[in-house]
Amino acid sequence: NASGGVLYTWSPNVGLSNPTISNPLCYVSTTTIYTVTISSILGTDTCRSNLTTTVTVFPFTYSSTSITIMPSTITLGQTGTLTLSGFTYTGTVSIYPNIPLTNLGNNQYAFQPTHSGEYLISFTDANGCKHELKTIYIEIITDNCSENTVYLPTAFTPNGDGNNDVLFIRSNFITEVYLSIYDRWGEKIFETNDIKKGWDGYYKGKKLDQGVYGYYMNFKCNNGQESFKKGNITLMN
C-alpha cells in the first residue's frame, strides 16, 4: 500500500495485479523488494518520492508422497491415522470435509471419517498461510449390512413445489441396489437399479393418486454382504 500522491509506479512489475495503482495485489514465489514512485502535482511542479518495501516469501517445500492415511479403507466407527513424514513446519493440520483431529505427536493424527470420498489435507503455518498439501480418497465400509444401512422415506409429496418431490434411496454404504414399487393390486409401477434415479410419482406418464404403495429393495453393501428391505410409501398430493 502507498499513499500521498496521485500517480504510482511500482518496480519491478512482476507479480503485481496492476503496477500503476496505490494498492496492487502481489503474487510472488520468492522474496522481492519493490520500489514505488509516488508522484504528486503541485501547481506546475511535479514532486516524486521513491519508497521501497519488501515482500517476504517463506520457503515451503514438502513431498506429497510422505503424507499418508492408514488404512485407506476404514470400517465405520474405526479410527484412521494421518502421518506427515519428515514434515519440518510448525502450524495446524486440518482435513476437509471437516473432521476433528487428535494429535498423537510426531506429526501423526487420529481421526474418524464417516463418508467415503475425497479428503483435502491442509496446513496453516505460523505466518497464517494456508497450504493445500494433498487430496486422498478414503473408503468407508459398514460392518453391518442390514435394512438400517439404507434409508428410503416413508412418504413424499410430488406436487411440484420443489420440496420432497422425488423419492430417492439414501445410503453411503451400498454398491448395488434394485428397488421396485407396486400399487395396491400388485402391479409394478416403478423400478430402478440406480441410486441416483428417483420416483416422481408418475406411471406411464400419468401422475398417480394419493395413497399407499408397497416397495421391495435388494442391495449390496461395500463390505460385500447383501440384504433386503421392504415396506410402504405414502404418496401425498
Side-chain angles (χ1 to χ4, degrees), residues 65-78:
T65 59
S66 66
I67 302 171
T68 58
I69 286 180
M70 296 296 293
S72 58
T73 299
I74 300 173
T75 301
L76 182 66
Q78 292 185 340

Side-chain angles (χ1 to χ4, degrees), residues 119 149 169:
Y119 288 82
T149 307
I169 303 166

Side-chain angles (χ1 to χ4, degrees), residues 116-166:
S116 296
E118 291 186 342
Y119 288 82
L120 174 62
I121 302 166
S122 299
F123 172 74
T124 303
D125 63 26
N127 301 302
C129 299
K130 188 173 183 178
H131 309 271
E132 295 181 354
L133 302 182
K134 189 174 184 178
T135 298
I136 294 180
Y137 184 86
I138 303 174
E139 182 178 6
I140 309 301
I141 63 174
T142 177
D143 59 356
N144 178 31
C145 192
S146 67
E147 63 178 53
N148 294 327
T149 307
V150 179
Y151 173 72
L152 189 69
T154 57
F156 75 120
T157 55
N159 54 15
D161 66 354
N163 295 316
N164 203 27
D165 284 332
V166 182

Side-chain angles (χ1 to χ4, degrees), residues 194-206:
D194 184 355
I195 195 173
K196 297 180 180 179
K197 181 180 178 181
W199 182 39
D200 60 3
Y202 282 73
Y203 177 54
K204 293 183 177 180
K206 179 182 177 181

Side-chain angles (χ1 to χ4, degrees), residues 18-43:
N18 186 337
T20 61
I21 61 176
S22 63
N23 57 343
L25 298 177
C26 179
Y27 307 90
V28 287
S29 57
T30 59
T31 296
T32 304
I33 299 175
Y34 286 98
T35 299
V36 58
T37 300
I38 304 174
S39 301
S40 60
I41 301 175
L42 300 174

Side-chain angles (χ1 to χ4, degrees), residues 166-196:
V166 182
L167 185 78
F168 284 105
I169 303 166
R170 303 297 187 190
S171 179
N172 293 313
F173 306 106
I174 62 174
T175 57
E176 299 177 16
V177 66
Y178 173 75
L179 170 68
S180 55
I181 299 176
Y182 300 84
D183 64 17
R184 69 181 68 181
W185 298 281
E187 182 177 3
K188 183 165 59 178
I189 55 176
F190 177 79
E191 65 178 344
T192 183
N193 56 10
D194 184 355
I195 195 173
K196 297 180 180 179

